[in-house]
Amino acid sequence: MVQFDTLAILIALGSLGFIYYRKSKKGPYSHLPLPPGPPRKPIVGNLFNMPSRPEWEDYHKISKDFDTDIIYLNVVGTNIVVLDTHDAAMELLERRSSKYSSRAHLPMVNELMGWDFAVGFKEYGQQWRDCRRLMHHSFHPGAVVLFRPHMQRATRNLLKRFLDYPDNIMGNIRHMSGEGILSITYGLDVQADNDPYIKVAEQSLAGFAEAAVPGAFLVDSFSLLKYVPEWFPGAGFQTKARIWRDAAFEMRDYTFTGAKKNVLAGTSPHCFVSANLNEMDPAKPDPVKEQLVKDTAGSMYSAGTDTTLSAVGSCILAFLEYPETLKKAQAELDRVIKPGHLPDFNDYDSLPYITALTMETLRWRDVGPIGLPHVLIEEDEYKGYRIPAGTIVIANSWAMLHNEETYKDPFTFNPDRFLTKDGKLDKTARDPAHACWGFGRRVCPGRYLAFSGVWITLASLAAVFDITKAIDEKGNVIEPSHEYVNSAIIVPKPFQASVKPRSEAFAQIIRDSVAAA
């Protein structure tokens, strides 16, 4: 449900509902009906019956109940449309992307928390295009190859951490994902424990994940609430925003300062920041370009950490419930990888099951079930329905990736769905990329990097570790709860498992690989 710090603010400022309840301006489609959806109450609309978390499941249920691929809700005058199928998302977000590529202005995130620097939250315009251009230049398929050493080093350090801390599953993965994106973005090394860069990122991303969900805070519907002082009864959201804002700026500025120092000293390895700063003329400082690089780097760091954490954590959960998938992965790896070696990217074409495993991981527990919402900039029509200008448009990726017509037994973890009978990748199977990376001009610019990072991590873990359900002191199996932190990016809550090297020889391979790095 909508998060209420208290009803005191709503009671004190209840009249704002009349101010914010607005009807759309007359347009060419004003005679058409709105898309189907739950009944709305005067003024507040669907405010008090918005879907509970995980909302993507409720959105899908509503779509099924109304037998439609598009549903409409209204929260205090804010129009919300949810797209339940790939066809609907393709028609609106891809083919009509010029209309649907802006972002919702969320006062909590953009203003109070200061996340307006992030590419994902920028409105569709020149600033956004400048940031996207920088990201595309560094992360198109050809350029991503340059970052493979960063990903491989972070992965091998992860293997060593599992030798040293086998019980800290999510903590180990979080450290690895932070290390990898720090290295790729800023060229910075991290400490084995209690790294300050990773710590500040965790603090910032925790708030971001909570606030980025549409409707999570009332201030996003009653924007005048942003002027309520922190001391006002019930203004707990202001306190949260201040703490999260400080963490966001520290994450963006602290890491960039460290990277820039190394670039100026000539000691920075190839990374996003060094590549862009080195293109600038030292004799002609360009503070606008430097700020653009800083903001874009901060966006990458924030977006890349929890996504990898989510995917790898979900795959380990899948190994626990479907142990045959790990055995199949290990059989393929044992056939392909030379004794005494670990997988690397040169093995990609020879490991189709690992690729299918990665694809199924991204489909089974998709990292961003509803992604970040788009905003329609002018009134539009779809299937005889009117979509008002300014509507927040949500693509329900979870529904698309669990569509029974596309994926048989969609809630079963089955990498074989992406393989032919002879074990090759099946080009006729629908790649989860059709929904898991977003749509249109807002598709994830780091998707090739992200897929590569998850691939090498899963291949390496499967190659050297047996991963099974944990056993308690009485010999009972500990069943994982499969509970997630449900936010803009879903992340498994900490869980227990047994992670042991397949043999002492594999443990030594891990140690040798880290020592040689």
Side-chain angles (χ1 to χ4, degrees):
M1 297 297 289
V2 174
Q3 176 176 329
F4 295 92
D5 292 297
T6 178
L7 289 178
I9 291 178
L10 190 57
I11 294 172
L13 303 176
S15 59
L16 288 177
F18 291 96
I19 300 174
Y20 281 82
Y21 181 71
R22 58 190 181 278
K23 295 186 180 294
S24 301
K25 295 179 180 179
K26 294 290 184 180
Y29 306 111
S30 59
H31 62 288
L32 296 177
L34 293 166
R40 299 178 293 278
K41 295 182 179 180
I43 301 176
V44 297
N46 300 113
L47 176 64
F48 295 106
N49 61 353
M50 284 290 287
S52 59
R53 298 182 184 181
E55 57 267 40
W56 40 91
E57 295 184 21
D58 284 352
Y59 286 145
H60 180 59
K61 183 178 184 303
I62 295 171
S63 295
K64 288 294 185 183
D65 290 343
F66 285 91
D67 191 24
T68 178
D69 62 356
I70 180 172
I71 61 172
Y72 171 84
L73 303 107
N74 184 289
V75 179
V76 198
T78 297
N79 301 303
I80 300 173
V81 157
V82 183
L83 308 177
D84 196 63
T85 65
H86 174 74
D87 289 346
M90 285 295 293
E91 176 59 36
L92 299 184
L93 305 184
E94 292 276 355
R95 298 188 183 97
R96 309 184 197 179
S97 60
S98 61
K99 296 181 180 181
Y100 286 85
S101 294
S102 199
R103 286 293 196 215
H105 183 80
L106 302 176
M108 183 67 177
V109 173
N110 293 70
E111 297 180 60
L112 299 182
M113 292 173 56
W115 276 87
D116 53 347
F117 72 84
V119 178
F121 285 101
K122 286 186 180 296
E123 295 183 2
Y124 186 64
Q126 190 58 48
Q127 276 195 349
W128 173 82
R129 282 189 285 269
D130 291 342
C131 290
R132 287 282 297 204
R133 189 177 300 111
L134 287 182
M135 297 182 80
H136 175 75
H137 179 71
S138 294
F139 300 116
H140 63 77
V144 164
V145 175
L146 298 175
F147 295 109
R148 286 179 171 178
H150 299 262
M151 292 183 271
Q152 196 156 285
R153 183 171 59 252
T155 297
R156 294 183 177 181
N157 287 337
L158 170 68
L159 304 182
K160 179 63 164 56
R161 289 186 68 84
F162 270 115
L163 286 183
D164 297 336
Y165 312 105
D167 298 327
N168 190 17
I169 295 171
M170 293 305 294
N172 290 340
I173 302 170
R174 181 176 290 280
H175 190 280
M176 179 275 297
S177 61
E179 176 184 355
I181 200 66
L182 268 169
S183 178
I184 289 167
T185 307
Y186 298 101
L188 296 171
D189 294 326
V190 302
Q191 301 173 8
D193 296 294
N194 299 318
D195 182 81
Y197 294 118
I198 292 179
K199 184 177 180 180
V200 72
E202 289 180 6
Q203 294 172 342
S204 177
L205 294 176
F208 167 77
E210 182 175 341
V213 177
F217 287 89
L218 282 177
V219 67
D220 290 331
S221 297
F222 296 91
S223 64
L224 284 183
L225 291 178
K226 66 187 180 184
Y227 299 112
V228 174
E230 189 174 330
W231 52 261
F232 193 86
F237 71 94
Q238 290 282 20
T239 302
K240 288 183 176 182
R242 173 176 52 79
I243 295 172
W244 292 340
R245 180 178 63 249
D246 291 345
F249 288 159
E250 186 176 5
M251 177 195 72
R252 182 195 64 178
D253 299 342
Y254 180 46
T255 46
F256 183 80
T257 299
K260 182 181 177 182
K261 180 180 178 181
N262 291 340
V263 171
L264 294 175
T267 59
S268 175
H270 173 74
C271 64
F272 173 82
V273 169
S274 67
N276 283 282
L277 292 185
N278 283 332
E279 291 180 354
M280 299 168 62
D281 185 350
K284 298 179 180 179
D286 187 344
V288 174
K289 174 68 178 295
E290 184 171 312
Q291 186 66 44
L292 180 67
V293 174
K294 180 194 292 188
D295 288 349
T296 307
S299 303
M300 293 162 43
Y301 186 27
S302 61
T305 303
D306 277 3
T307 50
T308 303
L309 171 66
S310 172
V312 176
S314 290
C315 189
I316 291 179
L317 283 171
F319 286 156
L320 301 183
E321 299 301 329
Y322 304 90
E324 70 279 4
T325 61
L326 176 58
K327 295 301 181 184
K328 288 182 179 181
Q330 290 174 337
E332 180 179 73
L333 289 158
D334 290 345
R335 287 195 305 270
V336 173
I337 307 303
K338 295 179 181 179
H341 291 74
L342 291 172
D344 62 36
F345 288 104
N346 293 325
D347 302 310
Y348 183 88
D349 291 338
S350 301
L351 296 171
Y353 189 84
I354 298 300
T355 301
L357 179 75
T358 305
M359 294 167 68
E360 180 68 344
T361 295
L362 295 170
R363 185 206 67 82
W364 185 60
R365 298 277 171 83
D366 42 320
V367 171
I370 56 175
L372 293 178
H374 295 231
V375 167
L376 174 62
I377 61 174
E378 63 181 70
E379 187 179 71
D380 201 10
E381 176 272 338
Y382 177 68
K383 290 188 174 181
Y385 297 118
R386 174 174 64 93
I387 308 178
T391 294
I392 294 174
V393 182
I394 296 171
N396 192 345
S397 298
W398 178 88
M400 302 172 202
L401 295 170
H402 293 81
N403 186 321
E404 294 181 357
E405 296 180 3
T406 306
Y407 303 106
K408 183 180 178 180
D409 299 324
F411 298 100
T412 298
F413 185 84
N414 179 21
D416 287 323
R417 71 174 79 246
F418 298 111
L419 299 171
T420 61
K421 291 182 178 179
D422 59 358
K424 297 180 180 179
L425 287 175
D426 185 355
K427 295 183 180 180
T428 66
R430 174 159 278 183
D431 190 325
H434 80 92
C436 71
W437 303 118
F439 299 90
R441 301 178 188 183
R442 288 290 184 166
V443 67
C444 174
R447 58 195 182 280
Y448 305 111
L449 181 75
F451 187 91
S452 295
V454 175
W455 186 92
I456 191 63
T457 304
L458 299 185
S460 301
L461 286 170
V464 298
F465 287 114
D466 283 324
I467 303 172
T468 58
K469 292 180 181 179
I471 306 295
D472 67 19
E473 56 188 15
K474 295 182 179 180
N476 299 314
V477 174
I478 301 175
E479 295 290 344
S481 66
H482 291 267
E483 292 183 356
Y484 279 69
V485 177
N486 291 323
S487 57
I489 297 173
I490 65 167
V491 175
K493 293 183 179 180
F495 60 91
Q496 292 179 271
S498 171
V499 182
K500 297 180 179 179
R502 298 173 66 191
S503 69
E504 179 53 36
F506 280 110
Q508 191 58 48
I509 291 171
I510 295 171
R511 298 187 189 99
D512 292 344
S513 70
V514 173

